[in-house]
Amino acid sequence: MSQSYLPFLKALSENNHKEWMDANRAWYLEVRAMFLEDVGEMLKAITEWEPGLTGFQPKDCIFRQNRDIRFSANKQPYKTNFAAYFAVGGKKSDGPGYYLHVQPNGTFAAGGIWMPQGDVIKKIRQEIDYSGGQLQEIIQNPAFQKKFGGIEGEKLKTSPKGYDSDHQYIELLRFKSFIASSPIPDKEIASGAFKKTAVESFRLMKPLQDFLTKAVEDAESGEGIL
């Protein structure tokens, strides 16, 4: 039934105002219900290797359609995509998670940590300083390279504070985000195959998630912040 996602999202992008949404409320509720069902299927599959997600409900993983426009120059009230985030600590977790973004000509599966807070990025860089070889091995794995092409994210132009420019892992240390992502074609949304594709991508990035989870654990207590 997911073939209705893209027509709805396309129509919403062309009519992004409250009057249109009010008039098409039934359509929105229909596709939202289908998305919740699909997210539930993916959540069940992911929980097989991420037991910390046990007990989560699909509604815990999806985002509101309304945009927060209070401080934005873009005053369009609605997001023109559907999205879900599967993270052990919930959608506001400081740790890594798996992200699904559904949008016409822009659907993708991703995972990792995007723009972490200062204390978190310090922990990640410390882990890279100690165990950067492990991260290199993960991202240089042929299957990882074929699917994601490596990790992506904005980088510092210079070396981060406390690290020399000739550090053996300096290119990894300069990252400000640690993300792996892979596009999903529109035809897979229509057929429903995107769910399997996304879950396979998430499973492949599990070693990256484990490295990042280890990095953000509380060094003093040994307990994770997830």
Side-chain angles (χ1 to χ4, degrees):
M1 295 293 290
S2 54
Q3 62 266 24
S4 295
Y5 292 163
L6 300 186
F8 172 81
L9 292 171
K10 184 176 186 296
L12 175 58
S13 70
E14 296 169 350
N15 303 275
N16 199 332
H17 52 80
K18 186 176 185 299
E19 292 77 12
W20 185 89
M21 181 64 94
D22 287 347
N24 290 273
R25 189 73 179 172
W27 190 11
Y28 166 65
L29 292 176
E30 177 188 357
V31 294
R32 183 180 184 275
M34 290 191 297
F35 189 60
L36 280 167
E37 183 176 346
D38 286 342
V39 167
E41 289 183 30
M42 290 185 284
L43 178 61
K44 182 179 179 180
I46 298 167
T47 302
E48 292 182 7
W49 74 81
E50 291 286 7
L53 289 170
T54 301
F56 277 64
Q57 300 299 315
K59 64 181 178 61
D60 301 322
C61 304
I62 69 169
F63 292 92
R64 288 166 48 88
Q65 206 65 32
N66 295 72
R67 295 181 61 250
D68 184 352
I69 61 175
R70 292 174 297 172
F71 309 107
S72 174
N74 179 0
K75 297 303 181 182
Q76 292 186 330
Y78 306 110
K79 299 169 187 171
T80 56
N81 66 276
F82 289 151
Y85 190 58
F86 308 92
V88 173
K91 288 180 288 188
K92 296 184 178 181
S93 168
D94 286 329
Y98 305 93
Y99 177 72
L100 174 69
H101 183 100
V102 177
Q103 187 170 10
N105 299 311
T107 299
F108 63 89
I113 293 182
W114 182 77
M115 297 298 287
Q117 297 294 319
D119 59 332
V120 177
I121 192 67
K122 285 180 181 178
K123 290 178 180 180
I124 295 173
R125 287 177 177 148
Q126 185 178 60
E127 189 66 24
I128 293 172
D129 184 29
Y130 293 158
S131 307
Q134 293 180 14
L135 181 56
Q136 278 193 336
E137 185 177 343
I138 290 167
I139 64 179
Q140 290 175 358
N141 179 282
F144 191 96
Q145 283 285 322
K146 181 178 180 180
K147 189 69 174 180
F148 308 116
I151 59 173
E152 58 191 74
E154 186 178 344
K155 280 186 172 184
L156 294 171
K157 294 181 179 179
T158 58
S159 305
K161 185 177 180 180
Y163 297 97
D164 295 332
S165 60
D166 61 352
H167 192 290
Q168 63 176 327
Y169 304 124
I170 191 60
E171 291 305 313
L172 294 174
L173 290 166
R174 288 173 54 214
F175 275 105
K176 297 165 71 174
S177 295
F178 297 83
I179 300 295
S181 70
S182 179
I184 300 175
D186 282 1
K187 64 181 181 180
E188 292 199 13
I189 306 300
S191 69
F194 77 97
K195 291 175 285 186
K196 181 180 179 182
T197 298
V199 168
E200 288 174 349
S201 293
F202 295 153
R203 186 68 183 89
L204 192 56
M205 62 181 73
K206 167 66 172 169
L208 173 62
Q209 305 289 74
D210 289 344
F211 181 91
L212 294 171
T213 297
K214 180 181 177 182
V216 300
E217 286 179 348
D218 189 310
E220 294 182 4
S221 69
E223 296 177 355
I225 62 173
L226 301 179

